[in-house]
Amino acid sequence: MICLPDPDASVVARRASIVRALRGLVAPANVIEDDIRLAAYETDAMTAYRRRPLAVVLPESTAEVAAILDYADREGIKIVPRGAGTSLSGGAIPAEDAIVVGLGKFNRILDIDYANRCVVAQSGVTNLALSHAVAGEGFYYAPDPSSQIACTIGGNVAENSGGVHCLKYGLTTNNVLGVELVTPQGDVVRLGGKHLDSGHYDLLGLTVGSEGLIGIVTEVTVRILKRPQTARALLIGFDDVESAGACVAAIIAAGIIPAGMEMMDKPAIHAAEAFVNVGYPLDVEALLIVELDGPAVEVDYLLERVREIAAGNSARGIRVSTSERERLAFWAGRKSAFPAVGRLSPD
């Protein structure tokens, strides 16, 4: 049996002092210090790397976030913000001498403004919840990461998340209009708002993708779009990856900007099909998913153009979605590629 040394008494005392201070800033139940519950916060989706933090604090208001950061700044304590922890980049992995600030309780949509085509939401609202909230009026939020059912809009801002439709509609940075931000010193700042291109320096652009290093985002204003009249997707198989890549280049060179375009190689195709059973062809080396959207007449025309381009690049088979359900199924496999591979290799 290997006996690990007891933690240094000064470290234990320091941790106890930090926990007491945090419980004076938020509801005591919103501070986590026991090892079992801390284990849930020691990594994000990049599970090969783990660090157990000193403590986790779950604030419920911007004022509480400001108080926590002010205290941490005065005491020289590291802070790691965390959304849903779905990142694959290690963005939410803490240091062992850090406090994790979890934004899970920031889960309310504050304002839906159809006239200005924007939504104001707290940073813990999930990506997909934004689209669900405005679907009844025919709107949606365009960036759609694979983890959109779980990932939060605050995490999307931190990571500048994209998704399968970022080719035409852009990344998070192209769809965020403003944020409320708490700086590392505990000051509350607003950047942008319900308008385009604020004057002066582009601090909003600097914030998106900064992984929480500039501050903790507590509120986000996003642009919403009208749903296109028609959306159709194609599955195009190829005998080699090079032909699929050439087809991608030819589609773009023809001036066609698909709503989404993604490629999978044979191992990914087989893993995804075994995971979701959507009917992907298993006898091809590469599979291209191309989605076209817009007015029905335009989509019909572009479908034929893409068919011609694919045939000219040695496509082996082309299947076009015939319903919205089938279109979503085509994308389901691609969006499930990571968990599908996880079944083969858990790390």
Side-chain angles (χ1 to χ4, degrees), residues 90-172:
I93 296 177
E96 292 172 337
D97 56 349
I99 299 169
V100 169
V101 180
L103 280 300
K105 293 183 180 292
F106 282 70
N107 55 11
R108 292 185 297 120
I109 292 177
L110 304 174
D111 180 43
I112 299 176
D113 185 346
Y114 292 112
N116 288 302
R117 298 196 172 191
C118 59
V119 171
V120 181
Q122 291 183 315
S123 56
V125 172
T126 63
N127 176 290
L128 192 58
L130 293 173
S131 289
H132 284 168
V134 298
E137 297 295 324
F139 286 85
Y140 75 112
Y141 177 62
D144 57 343
S146 296
S147 58
Q148 69 177 145
I149 192 172
C151 65
T152 64
I153 187 60
N156 291 173
V157 170
E159 298 286 333
N160 192 20
S161 304
V164 298
H165 291 95
C166 66
L167 175 62
K168 184 173 183 178
Y169 296 107
L171 303 166
T172 299

Side-chain angles (χ1 to χ4, degrees), residues 15 32-56 80-87 89-102:
R15 182 184 181 194
I32 299 171
E33 63 168 326
D34 57 287
D35 286 342
I36 292 178
R37 295 172 69 199
L38 286 177
Y41 296 89
E42 65 185 13
T43 186
D44 57 11
M46 180 61 78
T47 55
Y49 303 93
R50 298 174 183 273
R51 291 290 185 275
R52 191 159 299 182
L54 278 175
V56 173
V80 177
R82 181 185 176 96
T86 60
S87 167
S89 69
I93 296 177
E96 292 172 337
D97 56 349
I99 299 169
V100 169
V101 180

Side-chain angles (χ1 to χ4, degrees), residues 52-68:
R52 191 159 299 182
L54 278 175
V56 173
V57 59
L58 306 174
E60 298 186 29
S61 68
T62 299
E64 288 186 351
V65 175
I68 293 165

Side-chain angles (χ1 to χ4, degrees), residues 46 61 64-65 70 84 98 109 175 185-187 209 248 259 288 301 323 339:
M46 180 61 78
S61 68
E64 288 186 351
V65 175
D70 174 61
I109 292 177
N175 291 274
Q185 294 73 38
D187 298 317
V248 170
L288 198 60
Y301 169 73
S323 66

